[in-house]
Amino acid sequence: MIEAIVGSEGAERVLLFLAARNSGYPREIAASWSMDVSTVQNQLLRMERDGLLVSRTVGRTRVFEFNPRYAFKDEVRALLNKALTQLPPGVQEQLTLNRKRPRRTGKPL
């Protein structure tokens, strides 16, 4: 969809994931799109170097999110949110599902 603007399909998928969940780490992003972790890491590091993303360490995990000081953050987020609405419903649901661990057996919904 926006691959022509961001340069590659990998970059597009990383940005769509971050737009849907606000933050993420390489292995999580790679698993959601069935991509190589190294591809995701390279894209994240490039975007961090260019100022679009920032990272922080949570335990031993490096979590990436949009840089709040990036000059075009609002415009980029608006473009990505529009692109998210164009994805098939199953992909949208997969991206927005933010479960970190399984639900306890017998716990009511």
Side-chain angles (χ1 to χ4, degrees):
M1 239 180 308
I2 59 171
E3 180 180 338
I5 297 170
V6 297
S8 71
E9 185 179 3
E12 175 187 17
R13 289 178 173 188
V14 167
L15 289 172
L16 287 172
F17 183 93
L18 293 175
R21 294 201 189 175
N22 297 321
S23 67
Y25 54 92
R27 187 173 301 274
E28 176 185 33
I29 297 169
S32 71
W33 290 107
S34 300
M35 297 172 60
D36 288 338
V37 176
S38 63
T39 303
V40 172
Q41 287 173 330
N42 290 337
Q43 293 297 332
L44 289 168
L45 292 175
R46 182 183 60 81
M47 291 178 209
E48 184 179 31
R49 182 193 69 218
D50 295 340
L52 176 61
L53 302 178
V54 293
S55 65
R56 59 188 162 83
T57 304
V58 178
R60 292 177 19 181
T61 304
R62 194 167 175 191
V63 178
F64 291 84
E65 58 193 7
F66 286 102
N67 184 354
R69 295 183 180 182
Y70 187 67
F72 303 106
K73 179 185 72 106
D74 294 333
E75 291 81 0
V76 170
R77 291 297 302 253
L79 175 68
L80 292 169
N81 287 335
K82 179 145 184 152
L84 281 171
T85 64
Q86 302 300 315
L87 293 174
V91 175
Q92 285 180 12
E93 183 179 321
Q94 174 194 358
L95 285 176
T96 56
L97 182 64
N98 199 9
R99 302 231 24 159
K100 297 293 183 187
R101 58 190 171 130
R103 183 177 292 278
R104 186 183 72 214
T105 306
K107 183 176 178 183
L109 296 173

